[in-house]
Structure formats: structure tokens, C-alpha cells
Amino acid sequence: MSERPAPRREVVVGEPLRRRPVRQLGVRSEIDEQTEVGGAYVRGLMRSQLRAGLCGFGVLALLVGTLPLVFAAVPDGLGPWLSGPALVWLVLGGATYPVLLCLGHWYVRRAERNEQDFVDLVEGQ
Amino acid sequence: MNQAYAVTAVAVVVVATVLIGGLGLRISRTTSDFYVASRSVPPRLNAAAISGEYLSAASFLGVAGLVLAQGTDMLWYPVGYTAGYLVLLLFVAAPLRRSGAYTLPDFAEDRLESRTVRRAASAFVVGVGWLYLLPQLQGAGLTLRVITGAPRWTGGLLVAVVVTAAVAAGGMRSITFVQAFQYVLKLTALLVPALFLVAAWHGDGTPRGPFDEPPTFRQHTQVQVEDTLRLRIEEPLTVTVTGTVDATRYRDEGVLLEPGTHTIEGGTDLRFTPGSTVPRPAEHASAGTSSWAEPLSGSRDAHPLYSTYGLIVATFLGTMGLPHVVVRFYTSPNGHAARRTTLVVLGMISAFYLLPPVYGALARLYEPELIMTGGTDAAVLLLPGRLLGGLGGDLLEALLVGGAFAAFLSTASGLTMSVAGVLTQDLLPSLGVRHFRLATVLAMSVPVAAYLAVSDLPVADTVGLAFAVSASSFCPLLVLGIWWRRLTAAGAVTGLLVGGGAALAAVAATMAGFPEGGWPRALLAWPAVWSVPLGFLAMIVVSLATASRIPPGTGATMARLHLPEGATR
């Protein structure tokens, strides 16, 4: 009896070949599969990007959006050597554009850093 | 003005446009090439194309004309056009590219999973596009008339035919090359004469006071009045008249014009002495205004601070919804490149906008009589002849005329491209490139018909309308669609119709001359201040009320809009 080979026993323990890739890919698959956790990561990225956008918009409103009030407050400009219209001409005709460019440059760097942080988070798992 | 040089310049610009368009045709091999340049245009080229497309006749001629007619407050226009790109960069650029859609209606349908939203957005795209095409055609008509005396319809028709042919033949790829070429052309055409003009101003002893109010003649000036003018005189003014003033004939006689309104018959010669005030036309308070900005500047006198904020809101927030601007973002390879491209655009249009204020200031000094005759849009074109004269003046003038035509052509082709894209996708069965060509003809024929039918009416003021409508409809749709998960299709449609509809109705009422004055008029002439919040409010309130109908795919769409391309498999 003992020589008889024991009946082959098959134990089904799951799907070894199609193991879910969760452990290898972590956050990335959470995002791909639309899980709660993945959604939270996307929300986090969106929040940081929205904050960057609102920040830039706030500075724009503060620096450029208040200019009409400034011009209204000093209709005569800065004394005899710079009349009111000449001041408006200098500010709106030239000085505003570098401000807009700096804001844009700052935002692009900030947004790209946010995205890099996010990628690091995903890859780092 | 030397007609031969100017006509040659126009011909060269038109031929170069067609040639470069044809070059693109040979490159565009697939349907994808044809529509979106296979999404592979590198940022610099794409940025030059975007800038070339964006800098319309209103920028090239209108800004300087406005500064001449109304003073330096008008410089809010170029600042607003540029800041609009910054706002676009802050909230829209990268997610819009990542949405993978091609037009605004594509974005709306993709995000909200509803055909109704798509149709509403399509209607607004076509409407805004047509509103914006009309003044381009009219500007071309005016320019060609100033240069050659050709009938008004010639210039508009010329632009319409060239643009239709270029767009229908080459699609987006060829348009990209054409637009990039036209940016370089426009910048050169404004920069080179500006250098000579500033040098001439320096040689003239750097006269000061270009912005003194009221504007005065600096030297003996002779003005030949072509069409009968009605002038409003504020202070007694002595002029030497040969011709008919207030139904009395004069022959080289000094006439004292008392304060009040005076009629100058066509064909009359007026000579002004240095130091006398430049009279303004009496017809409308805004006459002498650039025809590209009329409604936005129509009631500035009454409530200037409110009007300025109306202009700021419309341009800062309206840029993102202009159909020809948005369609360009799909040609960037990815969201990252879209952002970089927008930053380069910001630099390119900033560089360009440093120049029109210079022309405006010089025009105040050297050709103030244009304020009187109402031809301020021609100020840029006429300056070289006035300051330099001779062969050099003629050549620089030709360069400016060429640049102005590039401006009409590039903006008109971008608009035609996007309107035709929407028509192809939503009105005609999408069977391929053949229908796109048909749609191009349709996209151009409606504004051409309107242009020919109403060329005598001040319809050119529709540029301001386009910005206000776009800010009140597409700005809420894009910003909420990209950043707010709870937006529903019902909310989006309501917001589009309420915000955009209110802006449309307000400016239509203003153009019809109602109401007469005071706050009601200011509020209707500058609707963006209240219609943009109204659009946002309507979208948010209705979305919250229909919270059970949030599109099921919202989570996935949001992830696609915001995740960097490398982060998903």
C-alpha cells in the first residue's frame, strides 16, 4: 500500500500567475483602477495645482488688477516731470509685461515641481 | 502714400501665405496631420503660430489708433490680451491638452458625457468665431481703401478668398507654418519702422507732451476734409478755410468758430495754426474711436473706472474661450509642452505689445488731425510718410501695410479653421477631409455675407462682444469643468446660456442704442463685470441642484486631465 503513490493532490490557492500587481506598482495601480486611495492621490495633485493657479491669479489681481485704482488716485502722476497719462503709458505700455512673464515663469516651475513630486510619490512605492 | 509699394507689399504677403500653405500641404499626409498637425508641433514653432494667430488687426492697428483718439487708458487692451494668456496658463493650458479633445465642444462632451452640452458649446463657438471674423474682414476693407482708394468690399473679399483657400488646402499643419511666418512678419513690420520713427523723433529735438489734454496741433497743419464732418468745438478756434463751413463759402479766409457744433462740407480745406486745439467729431461721443473697440469704449466717459474693470474682466477671462486660441493647444505633444508653449506665447505677445504704445504716442505728436477726421485706425500706416517722407518713408509704409495684411490673414485663418472644425464635427457627417473643405467655405461665407450686407454699419465693434461673451460662457465651463468634480451637464448648459446669453443680450442692446446714458448704459456696454459671475453662479447652483446626475466617469476624466503623462500606464 505504501508503495502506491499518493493521489496527486491539487491545492487551489488562488491565481498565482495572474497575481494582482498591487505590490509592485502601489499607488500607480490604485490610480489606474480608480480606487478610493488612487482618487485621494489625484485629489491631492489637483489641490496643489489649483493652489498654484490661484496663487498666481491672486498676485495678478493684486499687482495689475489694482492699477486702475492707483491711476485714479494719482491723476496728476508724479509731479511735473511725469504727468498722469505719461505714468499710465509707462506702466501699461511697458512695465506690466515683465510682471506677467515672471508670474507665468514662476507658475510653470511650480506646476512642474508639483507634478514631479507626484511622480516621485508614485515611483517611490 | 506710394500705392505701388503698398500694393506690392500686400501681394507679397498674400503670395507668401499661399506658398507656405502649399508647402504644408505636401507635408500633411494623413487625416490626423490635416486636423491637428499630428499633435507634434514643437513648442517654439507652435508658440509663434499661436502668437501670429492671436495678434489681430485690433492689435496691429487698433491699439495705436485708440491711444491717439482716447489716450493712454486704452493701453488696457493689450495688457488685457496678454494677461488673458497668463490666466489661460494658470488654469487651463495643461489640463485642456491632456483632455485629448480637439475643440471646445469635444472638451465639453468628453468631460460631461452629454450631447446637449456639446451642442450648446458648438453654437457658442460658431457664434463667437463669426462675430470675430467680421471685424477682420472689415479692417482689411478699410486698410485697402486707405492705401489705394479701392472700394470697401475689395479688401475683405481678398482676405476671405485667400484664407478659405489656404485653410481648405492645407489644414492645421500648413496653417501652423503660415501663422509662425506671420508672427515674425508682424513683429518685423512694426519693429523696423518704429526704430526709424523714434530716431526721427529724436532728430526732431525730442518734442514732449504727447498726452497733453486736449490734444493740440504742434505745427501748421492743413487738413483736406473728404466726407462732410460735424465738429464739436469747446473753445473759440480760429482756422483758415477754403470751402464751405456751416453753409457759408469761404476762400482762404480766417474764420472764428464759436463753441458749439459746426458742419464742414466735404472737399473743404482747413488750416490750423500751432497751439490750436484739435476739434473732435460731434456725431457720437466715441467717434474717432478705433472701430475695433467701439462698444467697449463707447461709454467710457460716464463711469471710467467701472468701464476699465469691465474691459479687464472681459479680456483677462475671455481669452481662454476664444475658439481659435483653444484649438491650438491640441497641437502640443503633451500637457507639459502645452504649458511651456503658453509661456513662450506670453513672451512673444509681450514683445509685440511694447510697440503699439510707441506708435500711439508718436501719432499724438505728429498726426493729431486724425482725431478730427475719425481715421485713427490709419495712424500706424501714415506715420512713416509724416515723419520721414521720401523713399524710406514709402518703403516703411509698405512694410507696415504688409504687416497689417498679415494680421488680417492670420487671425481670419485661425478663426476659419476652428469654426470649420466645429462645423465638420457637429453639423456635417464626419466622412473625412472633403467635408472639412466644404465646412471651410461655409465657415467663411456667413461672415462674408454679413460683411457685404452691412458694410456701412458699425458692426466692427463685435470684437469686444466676442470677448465678453466668451468670458461669460466658456470661462466658467473650462474653469469649473477642469477643477470642480460636481459640475453636471444640466449645470453647464444653464451656465452657458445664462452667462453667455446675458452678455450677448447686453451688448446687443448697447449696439441698438439703448439705454441712453448713465449707469444702465455703462452696465450694459461693459457686461463682463456682472455676466461672468452670473455664468459661474448659474453653473454652480444648477449643478448642486442636480447633484444626483454627476457624470459617472468624472473620476477617471479628472485623473486624465491632471495626471502628468508619465504617471499613468
Side-chain angles (χ1 to χ4, degrees), chain B residues 153-203:
Chain B
W153 54 267
T154 340
L157 221 55
L158 177 68
V159 166
V161 169
V162 172
V163 165
T164 308
V167 173
M172 182 70 97
R173 169 75 87 161
S174 81
I175 284 304
T176 303
F177 286 123
V178 171
Q179 306 283 30
F181 157 72
Q182 280 169 345
Y183 170 73
V184 176
L185 179 60
K186 273 183 272 192
L187 187 64
T188 315
L190 218 48
L191 178 63
V192 173
L195 294 177
F196 281 97
L197 291 173
V198 169
W201 168 75
H202 196 72

Side-chain angles (χ1 to χ4, degrees), chain A residues 91-115:
Chain A
V91 172
L92 294 185
T96 313
Y97 297 104
V99 175
L100 298 180
L101 272 176
C102 287
L103 264 175
H105 187 72
W106 169 85
Y107 170 77
V108 169
R109 286 188 51 181
R110 172 86 185 268
E112 285 179 358
R113 203 165 55 231
N114 285 343
E115 285 176 358

Side-chain angles (χ1 to χ4, degrees), chain B residues 369-436:
Chain B
E369 77 280 1
L370 291 179
I371 298 172
M372 183 182 98
T373 54
T376 52
D377 282 335
V380 168
L381 302 176
L382 299 177
L383 260 178
R386 190 65 51 89
L387 248 87
L388 301 163
L391 180 65
D394 282 344
L395 288 177
L396 291 176
E397 215 160 60
L399 188 59
L400 283 167
V401 169
F405 252 80
F408 305 131
L409 287 178
S410 55
T411 304
S413 42
L415 286 165
T416 310
M417 185 78 204
S418 49
V419 171
V422 169
L423 287 177
T424 313
Q425 297 218 314
D426 293 328
L427 292 186
L428 306 162
S430 49
L431 290 179
V433 164
R434 274 174 63 87
H435 282 80
F436 181 82

Side-chain angles (χ1 to χ4, degrees), chain A residues 97, chain B residues 56-72 74-79 81 290 292-293 352-353 355-361 376-377 379-380:
Chain A
Y97 297 104
Chain B
S56 68
S59 303
F60 196 90
L61 301 177
V63 170
L66 279 168
V67 171
L68 168 59
Q70 305 203 3
T72 48
M74 292 291 109
L75 290 176
W76 276 110
Y77 278 96
V79 168
Y81 296 151
S290 164
W292 285 286
F352 179 88
Y353 280 136
L355 298 170
V358 174
Y359 282 84
T376 52
D377 282 335
V380 168

